[in-house]
Amino acid sequence: MARTFPSLKPSSRKFTMGELPTKTYRSMAGTVLRRAYGNKKVNYTLDLEFKNIGDDDEVLQYSGWVTYILAHYADTNGTFETFDLPVGIFSGMGSDVRSYIQSPDSILWRYAEPPTVTSVRRGLSTVSVKLIGEIDH
């Protein structure tokens, strides 16, 4: 497991709850059978956006955060390895909602795709990160 994701409060978060792993079968007669393949939800998603953060140490506010996020992506071997999320990611979010995102306790996160960096102006960028939550076994 790689190091914890950088502790920076995102500008926005989008969370989607996981679902039980199921398969639906439909017969030609129209009957439906659903089969659950576990009792724990899978495929949680969390999209994070960090607006106007510093590319490197030239910008004093949030300096170098773009580099930290990209280095973390490289350290996790892209979308391969899982990691923990720090409490700072959920800063400003209600504790009830936060408990759903961090539940179950054994959830680990991995990148769904590479981070997207959009240059805003010299030295400032907006970074979008898409994560998938998985149960650690």
Side-chain angles (χ1 to χ4, degrees), residues 21-56:
T22 59
K23 176 76 174 161
T24 302
Y25 301 94
R26 299 182 192 279
S27 73
M28 292 180 72
T31 59
V32 175
L33 172 69
R34 284 184 194 82
R35 170 80 179 166
Y37 289 96
N39 62 355
K40 295 186 179 180
K41 293 180 174 72
V42 297
N43 293 329
Y44 291 84
T45 63
L46 182 63
D47 298 347
L48 305 171
E49 185 174 57
F50 304 93
K51 291 184 177 180
N52 301 324
I53 58 176
D55 291 346
D56 50 37

PDB file of all heavy atoms in Angstrom, residues 21-56:
ATOM      1  N   PRO A  21     -22.403  -6.598  -5.057  1.00  0.00           N
ATOM      2  CA  PRO A  21     -22.094  -7.243  -6.334  1.00  0.00           C
ATOM      3  C   PRO A  21     -23.225  -8.204  -6.703  1.00  0.00           C
ATOM      4  O   PRO A  21     -23.452  -9.193  -6.011  1.00  0.00           O
ATOM      5  CB  PRO A  21     -20.776  -7.974  -6.068  1.00  0.00           C
ATOM      6  CG  PRO A  21     -20.693  -8.111  -4.591  1.00  0.00           C
ATOM      7  CD  PRO A  21     -21.509  -7.028  -3.993  1.00  0.00           C
ATOM      8  N   THR A  22     -23.973  -7.875  -7.744  1.00  0.00           N
ATOM      9  CA  THR A  22     -25.121  -8.689  -8.140  1.00  0.00           C
ATOM     10  C   THR A  22     -25.101  -8.964  -9.635  1.00  0.00           C
ATOM     11  O   THR A  22     -24.447  -8.259 -10.412  1.00  0.00           O
ATOM     12  CB  THR A  22     -26.454  -7.993  -7.804  1.00  0.00           C
ATOM     13  OG1 THR A  22     -26.503  -6.744  -8.474  1.00  0.00           O
ATOM     14  CG2 THR A  22     -26.622  -7.768  -6.317  1.00  0.00           C
ATOM     15  N   LYS A  23     -25.857  -9.961  -9.991  1.00  0.00           N
ATOM     16  CA  LYS A  23     -26.055 -10.307 -11.398  1.00  0.00           C
ATOM     17  C   LYS A  23     -27.547 -10.534 -11.580  1.00  0.00           C
ATOM     18  O   LYS A  23     -28.187 -11.191 -10.763  1.00  0.00           O
ATOM     19  CB  LYS A  23     -25.259 -11.573 -11.750  1.00  0.00           C
ATOM     20  CG  LYS A  23     -25.453 -12.080 -13.133  1.00  0.00           C
ATOM     21  CD  LYS A  23     -24.703 -11.263 -14.144  1.00  0.00           C
ATOM     22  CE  LYS A  23     -24.824 -11.931 -15.503  1.00  0.00           C
ATOM     23  NZ  LYS A  23     -24.537 -11.057 -16.582  1.00  0.00           N
ATOM     24  N   THR A  24     -28.117  -9.950 -12.628  1.00  0.00           N
ATOM     25  CA  THR A  24     -29.533 -10.102 -12.918  1.00  0.00           C
ATOM     26  C   THR A  24     -29.697 -11.021 -14.119  1.00  0.00           C
ATOM     27  O   THR A  24     -29.045 -10.835 -15.146  1.00  0.00           O
ATOM     28  CB  THR A  24     -30.175  -8.728 -13.219  1.00  0.00           C
ATOM     29  OG1 THR A  24     -29.971  -7.881 -12.088  1.00  0.00           O
ATOM     30  CG2 THR A  24     -31.657  -8.859 -13.494  1.00  0.00           C
ATOM     31  N   TYR A  25     -30.568 -12.004 -13.961  1.00  0.00           N
ATOM     32  CA  TYR A  25     -30.874 -12.950 -15.037  1.00  0.00           C
ATOM     33  C   TYR A  25     -32.335 -12.772 -15.431  1.00  0.00           C
ATOM     34  O   TYR A  25     -33.210 -12.692 -14.575  1.00  0.00           O
ATOM     35  CB  TYR A  25     -30.651 -14.394 -14.572  1.00  0.00           C
ATOM     36  CG  TYR A  25     -29.241 -14.678 -14.117  1.00  0.00           C
ATOM     37  CD1 TYR A  25     -28.898 -14.584 -12.771  1.00  0.00           C
ATOM     38  CD2 TYR A  25     -28.268 -15.048 -15.029  1.00  0.00           C
ATOM     39  CE1 TYR A  25     -27.600 -14.842 -12.347  1.00  0.00           C
ATOM     40  CE2 TYR A  25     -26.968 -15.304 -14.620  1.00  0.00           C
ATOM     41  CZ  TYR A  25     -26.650 -15.200 -13.281  1.00  0.00           C
ATOM     42  OH  TYR A  25     -25.368 -15.455 -12.865  1.00  0.00           O
ATOM     43  N   ARG A  26     -32.605 -12.707 -16.718  1.00  0.00           N
ATOM     44  CA  ARG A  26     -33.973 -12.587 -17.221  1.00  0.00           C
ATOM     45  C   ARG A  26     -34.250 -13.771 -18.137  1.00  0.00           C
ATOM     46  O   ARG A  26     -33.503 -14.033 -19.070  1.00  0.00           O
ATOM     47  CB  ARG A  26     -34.154 -11.291 -17.999  1.00  0.00           C
ATOM     48  CG  ARG A  26     -33.914 -10.053 -17.174  1.00  0.00           C
ATOM     49  CD  ARG A  26     -34.164  -8.780 -17.981  1.00  0.00           C
ATOM     50  NE  ARG A  26     -33.672  -7.618 -17.274  1.00  0.00           N
ATOM     51  CZ  ARG A  26     -34.330  -7.001 -16.295  1.00  0.00           C
ATOM     52  NH1 ARG A  26     -35.490  -7.452 -15.924  1.00  0.00           N
ATOM     53  NH2 ARG A  26     -33.815  -5.950 -15.702  1.00  0.00           N
ATOM     54  N   SER A  27     -35.348 -14.442 -17.847  1.00  0.00           N
ATOM     55  CA  SER A  27     -35.708 -15.584 -18.687  1.00  0.00           C
ATOM     56  C   SER A  27     -36.521 -15.094 -19.881  1.00  0.00           C
ATOM     57  O   SER A  27     -37.027 -13.960 -19.895  1.00  0.00           O
ATOM     58  CB  SER A  27     -36.525 -16.599 -17.890  1.00  0.00           C
ATOM     59  OG  SER A  27     -37.831 -16.112 -17.669  1.00  0.00           O
ATOM     60  N   MET A  28     -36.670 -15.954 -20.850  1.00  0.00           N
ATOM     61  CA  MET A  28     -37.472 -15.603 -22.020  1.00  0.00           C
ATOM     62  C   MET A  28     -38.940 -15.462 -21.651  1.00  0.00           C
ATOM     63  O   MET A  28     -39.699 -14.789 -22.337  1.00  0.00           O
ATOM     64  CB  MET A  28     -37.271 -16.634 -23.123  1.00  0.00           C
ATOM     65  CG  MET A  28     -35.853 -16.581 -23.685  1.00  0.00           C
ATOM     66  SD  MET A  28     -35.549 -17.752 -24.985  1.00  0.00           S
ATOM     67  CE  MET A  28     -36.477 -17.045 -26.309  1.00  0.00           C
ATOM     68  N   ALA A  29     -39.355 -16.083 -20.527  1.00  0.00           N
ATOM     69  CA  ALA A  29     -40.736 -15.974 -20.062  1.00  0.00           C
ATOM     70  C   ALA A  29     -40.985 -14.655 -19.328  1.00  0.00           C
ATOM     71  O   ALA A  29     -42.115 -14.335 -18.987  1.00  0.00           O
ATOM     72  CB  ALA A  29     -41.075 -17.150 -19.148  1.00  0.00           C
ATOM     73  N   GLY A  30     -39.896 -13.893 -19.051  1.00  0.00           N
ATOM     74  CA  GLY A  30     -40.053 -12.597 -18.416  1.00  0.00           C
ATOM     75  C   GLY A  30     -39.752 -12.572 -16.927  1.00  0.00           C
ATOM     76  O   GLY A  30     -39.807 -11.513 -16.315  1.00  0.00           O
ATOM     77  N   THR A  31     -39.469 -13.720 -16.342  1.00  0.00           N
ATOM     78  CA  THR A  31     -39.137 -13.712 -14.916  1.00  0.00           C
ATOM     79  C   THR A  31     -37.729 -13.170 -14.701  1.00  0.00           C
ATOM     80  O   THR A  31     -36.870 -13.275 -15.572  1.00  0.00           O
ATOM     81  CB  THR A  31     -39.247 -15.125 -14.303  1.00  0.00           C
ATOM     82  OG1 THR A  31     -38.367 -15.987 -15.003  1.00  0.00           O
ATOM     83  CG2 THR A  31     -40.671 -15.642 -14.378  1.00  0.00           C
ATOM     84  N   VAL A  32     -37.539 -12.587 -13.532  1.00  0.00           N
ATOM     85  CA  VAL A  32     -36.256 -11.982 -13.202  1.00  0.00           C
ATOM     86  C   VAL A  32     -35.708 -12.637 -11.946  1.00  0.00           C
ATOM     87  O   VAL A  32     -36.421 -12.842 -10.967  1.00  0.00           O
ATOM     88  CB  VAL A  32     -36.416 -10.458 -12.965  1.00  0.00           C
ATOM     89  CG1 VAL A  32     -35.113  -9.838 -12.515  1.00  0.00           C
ATOM     90  CG2 VAL A  32     -36.939  -9.780 -14.225  1.00  0.00           C
ATOM     91  N   LEU A  33     -34.428 -12.960 -11.985  1.00  0.00           N
ATOM     92  CA  LEU A  33     -33.738 -13.521 -10.836  1.00  0.00           C
ATOM     93  C   LEU A  33     -32.482 -12.687 -10.606  1.00  0.00           C
ATOM     94  O   LEU A  33     -31.716 -12.446 -11.533  1.00  0.00           O
ATOM     95  CB  LEU A  33     -33.347 -14.988 -11.085  1.00  0.00           C
ATOM     96  CG  LEU A  33     -32.464 -15.634 -10.035  1.00  0.00           C
ATOM     97  CD1 LEU A  33     -33.239 -15.818  -8.739  1.00  0.00           C
ATOM     98  CD2 LEU A  33     -31.935 -16.959 -10.530  1.00  0.00           C
ATOM     99  N   ARG A  34     -32.325 -12.222  -9.377  1.00  0.00           N
ATOM    100  CA  ARG A  34     -31.120 -11.470  -9.024  1.00  0.00           C
ATOM    101  C   ARG A  34     -30.316 -12.303  -8.049  1.00  0.00           C
ATOM    102  O   ARG A  34     -30.840 -12.827  -7.083  1.00  0.00           O
ATOM    103  CB  ARG A  34     -31.482 -10.129  -8.397  1.00  0.00           C
ATOM    104  CG  ARG A  34     -31.940  -9.120  -9.388  1.00  0.00           C
ATOM    105  CD  ARG A  34     -32.212  -7.763  -8.748  1.00  0.00           C
ATOM    106  NE  ARG A  34     -32.945  -6.922  -9.646  1.00  0.00           N
ATOM    107  CZ  ARG A  34     -34.249  -6.948  -9.825  1.00  0.00           C
ATOM    108  NH1 ARG A  34     -34.979  -7.784  -9.136  1.00  0.00           N
ATOM    109  NH2 ARG A  34     -34.833  -6.152 -10.680  1.00  0.00           N
ATOM    110  N   ARG A  35     -29.034 -12.367  -8.279  1.00  0.00           N
ATOM    111  CA  ARG A  35     -28.131 -13.142  -7.434  1.00  0.00           C
ATOM    112  C   ARG A  35     -27.089 -12.194  -6.852  1.00  0.00           C
ATOM    113  O   ARG A  35     -26.414 -11.473  -7.591  1.00  0.00           O
ATOM    114  CB  ARG A  35     -27.451 -14.221  -8.280  1.00  0.00           C
ATOM    115  CG  ARG A  35     -26.347 -14.947  -7.641  1.00  0.00           C
ATOM    116  CD  ARG A  35     -26.842 -16.021  -6.738  1.00  0.00           C
ATOM    117  NE  ARG A  35     -25.672 -16.686  -6.173  1.00  0.00           N
ATOM    118  CZ  ARG A  35     -25.726 -17.483  -5.170  1.00  0.00           C
ATOM    119  NH1 ARG A  35     -26.874 -17.757  -4.608  1.00  0.00           N
ATOM    120  NH2 ARG A  35     -24.648 -18.038  -4.717  1.00  0.00           N
ATOM    121  N   ALA A  36     -26.980 -12.188  -5.512  1.00  0.00           N
ATOM    122  CA  ALA A  36     -25.954 -11.381  -4.842  1.00  0.00           C
ATOM    123  C   ALA A  36     -24.708 -12.242  -4.673  1.00  0.00           C
ATOM    124  O   ALA A  36     -24.792 -13.398  -4.273  1.00  0.00           O
ATOM    125  CB  ALA A  36     -26.447 -10.905  -3.488  1.00  0.00           C
ATOM    126  N   TYR A  37     -23.553 -11.668  -4.976  1.00  0.00           N
ATOM    127  CA  TYR A  37     -22.284 -12.381  -4.875  1.00  0.00           C
ATOM    128  C   TYR A  37     -21.426 -11.839  -3.745  1.00  0.00           C
ATOM    129  O   TYR A  37     -20.207 -11.813  -3.842  1.00  0.00           O
ATOM    130  CB  TYR A  37     -21.525 -12.308  -6.202  1.00  0.00           C
ATOM    131  CG  TYR A  37     -22.176 -13.141  -7.271  1.00  0.00           C
ATOM    132  CD1 TYR A  37     -23.055 -12.574  -8.185  1.00  0.00           C
ATOM    133  CD2 TYR A  37     -21.947 -14.511  -7.336  1.00  0.00           C
ATOM    134  CE1 TYR A  37     -23.667 -13.341  -9.150  1.00  0.00           C
ATOM    135  CE2 TYR A  37     -22.554 -15.290  -8.301  1.00  0.00           C
ATOM    136  CZ  TYR A  37     -23.416 -14.702  -9.207  1.00  0.00           C
ATOM    137  OH  TYR A  37     -24.024 -15.465 -10.156  1.00  0.00           O
ATOM    138  N   GLY A  38     -22.054 -11.405  -2.697  1.00  0.00           N
ATOM    139  CA  GLY A  38     -21.333 -10.903  -1.536  1.00  0.00           C
ATOM    140  C   GLY A  38     -22.275 -10.112  -0.654  1.00  0.00           C
ATOM    141  O   GLY A  38     -23.418  -9.831  -1.023  1.00  0.00           O
ATOM    142  N   ASN A  39     -21.774  -9.747   0.527  1.00  0.00           N
ATOM    143  CA  ASN A  39     -22.601  -8.979   1.444  1.00  0.00           C
ATOM    144  C   ASN A  39     -21.991  -7.610   1.762  1.00  0.00           C
ATOM    145  O   ASN A  39     -22.405  -6.952   2.699  1.00  0.00           O
ATOM    146  CB  ASN A  39     -22.841  -9.760   2.737  1.00  0.00           C
ATOM    147  CG  ASN A  39     -21.557 -10.056   3.485  1.00  0.00           C
ATOM    148  OD1 ASN A  39     -20.465  -9.768   2.994  1.00  0.00           O
ATOM    149  ND2 ASN A  39     -21.688 -10.626   4.661  1.00  0.00           N
ATOM    150  N   LYS A  40     -21.011  -7.197   0.980  1.00  0.00           N
ATOM    151  CA  LYS A  40     -20.387  -5.882   1.154  1.00  0.00           C
ATOM    152  C   LYS A  40     -20.442  -5.119  -0.154  1.00  0.00           C
ATOM    153  O   LYS A  40     -20.245  -5.680  -1.223  1.00  0.00           O
ATOM    154  CB  LYS A  40     -18.939  -6.034   1.613  1.00  0.00           C
ATOM    155  CG  LYS A  40     -18.840  -6.663   2.988  1.00  0.00           C
ATOM    156  CD  LYS A  40     -17.433  -6.678   3.490  1.00  0.00           C
ATOM    157  CE  LYS A  40     -17.425  -7.308   4.875  1.00  0.00           C
ATOM    158  NZ  LYS A  40     -16.111  -7.370   5.447  1.00  0.00           N
ATOM    159  N   LYS A  41     -20.688  -3.831  -0.030  1.00  0.00           N
ATOM    160  CA  LYS A  41     -20.796  -2.989  -1.217  1.00  0.00           C
ATOM    161  C   LYS A  41     -19.428  -2.804  -1.892  1.00  0.00           C
ATOM    162  O   LYS A  41     -18.404  -2.808  -1.228  1.00  0.00           O
ATOM    163  CB  LYS A  41     -21.396  -1.643  -0.844  1.00  0.00           C
ATOM    164  CG  LYS A  41     -22.846  -1.739  -0.397  1.00  0.00           C
ATOM    165  CD  LYS A  41     -23.378  -0.378  -0.032  1.00  0.00           C
ATOM    166  CE  LYS A  41     -24.849  -0.420   0.270  1.00  0.00           C
ATOM    167  NZ  LYS A  41     -25.195  -1.056   1.527  1.00  0.00           N
ATOM    168  N   VAL A  42     -19.460  -2.636  -3.195  1.00  0.00           N
ATOM    169  CA  VAL A  42     -18.249  -2.419  -3.991  1.00  0.00           C
ATOM    170  C   VAL A  42     -18.466  -1.213  -4.906  1.00  0.00           C
ATOM    171  O   VAL A  42     -19.577  -0.731  -5.070  1.00  0.00           O
ATOM    172  CB  VAL A  42     -17.887  -3.662  -4.840  1.00  0.00           C
ATOM    173  CG1 VAL A  42     -17.564  -4.848  -3.955  1.00  0.00           C
ATOM    174  CG2 VAL A  42     -19.015  -4.019  -5.794  1.00  0.00           C
ATOM    175  N   ASN A  43     -17.379  -0.745  -5.500  1.00  0.00           N
ATOM    176  CA  ASN A  43     -17.400   0.337  -6.497  1.00  0.00           C
ATOM    177  C   ASN A  43     -17.900   1.674  -5.959  1.00  0.00           C
ATOM    178  O   ASN A  43     -18.644   2.381  -6.636  1.00  0.00           O
ATOM    179  CB  ASN A  43     -18.210  -0.076  -7.734  1.00  0.00           C
ATOM    180  CG  ASN A  43     -17.553  -1.185  -8.488  1.00  0.00           C
ATOM    181  OD1 ASN A  43     -16.332  -1.300  -8.510  1.00  0.00           O
ATOM    182  ND2 ASN A  43     -18.346  -2.038  -9.102  1.00  0.00           N
ATOM    183  N   TYR A  44     -17.458   2.030  -4.757  1.00  0.00           N
ATOM    184  CA  TYR A  44     -17.679   3.395  -4.286  1.00  0.00           C
ATOM    185  C   TYR A  44     -16.878   4.310  -5.211  1.00  0.00           C
ATOM    186  O   TYR A  44     -15.805   3.933  -5.690  1.00  0.00           O
ATOM    187  CB  TYR A  44     -17.114   3.577  -2.878  1.00  0.00           C
ATOM    188  CG  TYR A  44     -17.840   2.849  -1.785  1.00  0.00           C
ATOM    189  CD1 TYR A  44     -17.572   1.514  -1.511  1.00  0.00           C
ATOM    190  CD2 TYR A  44     -18.766   3.513  -0.998  1.00  0.00           C
ATOM    191  CE1 TYR A  44     -18.218   0.853  -0.484  1.00  0.00           C
ATOM    192  CE2 TYR A  44     -19.408   2.852   0.049  1.00  0.00           C
ATOM    193  CZ  TYR A  44     -19.136   1.526   0.297  1.00  0.00           C
ATOM    194  OH  TYR A  44     -19.768   0.878   1.309  1.00  0.00           O
ATOM    195  N   THR A  45     -17.369   5.508  -5.480  1.00  0.00           N
ATOM    196  CA  THR A  45     -16.576   6.462  -6.252  1.00  0.00           C
ATOM    197  C   THR A  45     -16.535   7.796  -5.515  1.00  0.00           C
ATOM    198  O   THR A  45     -17.499   8.177  -4.849  1.00  0.00           O
ATOM    199  CB  THR A  45     -17.122   6.679  -7.676  1.00  0.00           C
ATOM    200  OG1 THR A  45     -18.422   7.246  -7.612  1.00  0.00           O
ATOM    201  CG2 THR A  45     -17.156   5.379  -8.470  1.00  0.00           C
ATOM    202  N   LEU A  46     -15.410   8.475  -5.640  1.00  0.00           N
ATOM    203  CA  LEU A  46     -15.215   9.789  -5.036  1.00  0.00           C
ATOM    204  C   LEU A  46     -14.435  10.644  -6.025  1.00  0.00           C
ATOM    205  O   LEU A  46     -13.310  10.307  -6.389  1.00  0.00           O
ATOM    206  CB  LEU A  46     -14.465   9.663  -3.709  1.00  0.00           C
ATOM    207  CG  LEU A  46     -14.216  10.946  -2.927  1.00  0.00           C
ATOM    208  CD1 LEU A  46     -15.540  11.594  -2.509  1.00  0.00           C
ATOM    209  CD2 LEU A  46     -13.369  10.656  -1.696  1.00  0.00           C
ATOM    210  N   ASP A  47     -15.067  11.715  -6.498  1.00  0.00           N
ATOM    211  CA  ASP A  47     -14.418  12.648  -7.411  1.00  0.00           C
ATOM    212  C   ASP A  47     -14.041  13.894  -6.614  1.00  0.00           C
ATOM    213  O   ASP A  47     -14.886  14.470  -5.919  1.00  0.00           O
ATOM    214  CB  ASP A  47     -15.352  13.042  -8.557  1.00  0.00           C
ATOM    215  CG  ASP A  47     -15.759  11.860  -9.421  1.00  0.00           C
ATOM    216  OD1 ASP A  47     -15.146  10.787  -9.301  1.00  0.00           O
ATOM    217  OD2 ASP A  47     -16.704  12.014 -10.213  1.00  0.00           O
ATOM    218  N   LEU A  48     -12.790  14.289  -6.703  1.00  0.00           N
ATOM    219  CA  LEU A  48     -12.281  15.447  -5.973  1.00  0.00           C
ATOM    220  C   LEU A  48     -11.779  16.494  -6.967  1.00  0.00           C
ATOM    221  O   LEU A  48     -11.165  16.143  -7.982  1.00  0.00           O
ATOM    222  CB  LEU A  48     -11.126  15.037  -5.059  1.00  0.00           C
ATOM    223  CG  LEU A  48     -11.403  13.916  -4.060  1.00  0.00           C
ATOM    224  CD1 LEU A  48     -10.115  13.473  -3.394  1.00  0.00           C
ATOM    225  CD2 LEU A  48     -12.417  14.367  -3.034  1.00  0.00           C
ATOM    226  N   GLU A  49     -12.038  17.761  -6.660  1.00  0.00           N
ATOM    227  CA  GLU A  49     -11.506  18.837  -7.483  1.00  0.00           C
ATOM    228  C   GLU A  49     -10.799  19.831  -6.570  1.00  0.00           C
ATOM    229  O   GLU A  49     -11.335  20.240  -5.538  1.00  0.00           O
ATOM    230  CB  GLU A  49     -12.617  19.533  -8.254  1.00  0.00           C
ATOM    231  CG  GLU A  49     -12.091  20.580  -9.219  1.00  0.00           C
ATOM    232  CD  GLU A  49     -13.175  21.168 -10.096  1.00  0.00           C
ATOM    233  OE1 GLU A  49     -14.147  21.708  -9.530  1.00  0.00           O
ATOM    234  OE2 GLU A  49     -13.036  21.083 -11.320  1.00  0.00           O
ATOM    235  N   PHE A  50      -9.585  20.183  -6.948  1.00  0.00           N
ATOM    236  CA  PHE A  50      -8.767  21.138  -6.202  1.00  0.00           C
ATOM    237  C   PHE A  50      -8.529  22.336  -7.121  1.00  0.00           C
ATOM    238  O   PHE A  50      -7.762  22.239  -8.074  1.00  0.00           O
ATOM    239  CB  PHE A  50      -7.434  20.499  -5.797  1.00  0.00           C
ATOM    240  CG  PHE A  50      -7.599  19.238  -5.002  1.00  0.00           C
ATOM    241  CD1 PHE A  50      -7.619  17.998  -5.626  1.00  0.00           C
ATOM    242  CD2 PHE A  50      -7.744  19.291  -3.624  1.00  0.00           C
ATOM    243  CE1 PHE A  50      -7.772  16.835  -4.897  1.00  0.00           C
ATOM    244  CE2 PHE A  50      -7.900  18.128  -2.879  1.00  0.00           C
ATOM    245  CZ  PHE A  50      -7.914  16.898  -3.512  1.00  0.00           C
ATOM    246  N   LYS A  51      -9.207  23.444  -6.836  1.00  0.00           N
ATOM    247  CA  LYS A  51      -9.120  24.621  -7.711  1.00  0.00           C
ATOM    248  C   LYS A  51      -8.013  25.568  -7.267  1.00  0.00           C
ATOM    249  O   LYS A  51      -7.821  25.803  -6.075  1.00  0.00           O
ATOM    250  CB  LYS A  51     -10.456  25.375  -7.707  1.00  0.00           C
ATOM    251  CG  LYS A  51     -11.573  24.629  -8.383  1.00  0.00           C
ATOM    252  CD  LYS A  51     -12.826  25.466  -8.438  1.00  0.00           C
ATOM    253  CE  LYS A  51     -13.908  24.708  -9.181  1.00  0.00           C
ATOM    254  NZ  LYS A  51     -15.136  25.497  -9.260  1.00  0.00           N
ATOM    255  N   ASN A  52      -7.318  26.104  -8.255  1.00  0.00           N
ATOM    256  CA  ASN A  52      -6.325  27.171  -8.054  1.00  0.00           C
ATOM    257  C   ASN A  52      -5.260  26.817  -7.020  1.00  0.00           C
ATOM    258  O   ASN A  52      -5.000  27.568  -6.086  1.00  0.00           O
ATOM    259  CB  ASN A  52      -7.022  28.478  -7.674  1.00  0.00           C
ATOM    260  CG  ASN A  52      -7.997  28.924  -8.739  1.00  0.00           C
ATOM    261  OD1 ASN A  52      -7.753  28.747  -9.923  1.00  0.00           O
ATOM    262  ND2 ASN A  52      -9.118  29.473  -8.328  1.00  0.00           N
ATOM    263  N   ILE A  53      -4.650  25.664  -7.193  1.00  0.00           N
ATOM    264  CA  ILE A  53      -3.557  25.274  -6.303  1.00  0.00           C
ATOM    265  C   ILE A  53      -2.227  25.457  -7.030  1.00  0.00           C
ATOM    266  O   ILE A  53      -2.167  25.421  -8.257  1.00  0.00           O
ATOM    267  CB  ILE A  53      -3.717  23.826  -5.775  1.00  0.00           C
ATOM    268  CG1 ILE A  53      -3.782  22.807  -6.914  1.00  0.00           C
ATOM    269  CG2 ILE A  53      -4.953  23.722  -4.894  1.00  0.00           C
ATOM    270  CD1 ILE A  53      -3.845  21.369  -6.453  1.00  0.00           C
ATOM    271  N   GLY A  54      -1.173  25.654  -6.251  1.00  0.00           N
ATOM    272  CA  GLY A  54       0.133  25.968  -6.825  1.00  0.00           C
ATOM    273  C   GLY A  54       0.788  24.794  -7.529  1.00  0.00           C
ATOM    274  O   GLY A  54       0.765  23.670  -7.041  1.00  0.00           O
ATOM    275  N   ASP A  55       1.380  25.086  -8.689  1.00  0.00           N
ATOM    276  CA  ASP A  55       2.102  24.064  -9.448  1.00  0.00           C
ATOM    277  C   ASP A  55       3.393  23.660  -8.744  1.00  0.00           C
ATOM    278  O   ASP A  55       3.779  22.507  -8.719  1.00  0.00           O
ATOM    279  CB  ASP A  55       2.453  24.570 -10.847  1.00  0.00           C
ATOM    280  CG  ASP A  55       1.238  24.748 -11.731  1.00  0.00           C
ATOM    281  OD1 ASP A  55       0.157  24.238 -11.381  1.00  0.00           O
ATOM    282  OD2 ASP A  55       1.376  25.407 -12.775  1.00  0.00           O
ATOM    283  N   ASP A  56       4.086  24.640  -8.210  1.00  0.00           N
ATOM    284  CA  ASP A  56       5.373  24.375  -7.563  1.00  0.00           C
ATOM    285  C   ASP A  56       5.562  25.383  -6.439  1.00  0.00           C
ATOM    286  O   ASP A  56       4.624  26.064  -6.038  1.00  0.00           O
ATOM    287  CB  ASP A  56       6.518  24.417  -8.580  1.00  0.00           C
ATOM    288  CG  ASP A  56       6.486  25.658  -9.440  1.00  0.00           C
ATOM    289  OD1 ASP A  56       6.144  26.742  -8.921  1.00  0.00           O
ATOM    290  OD2 ASP A  56       6.791  25.556 -10.631  1.00  0.00           O
TER     291      ASP A  56
END
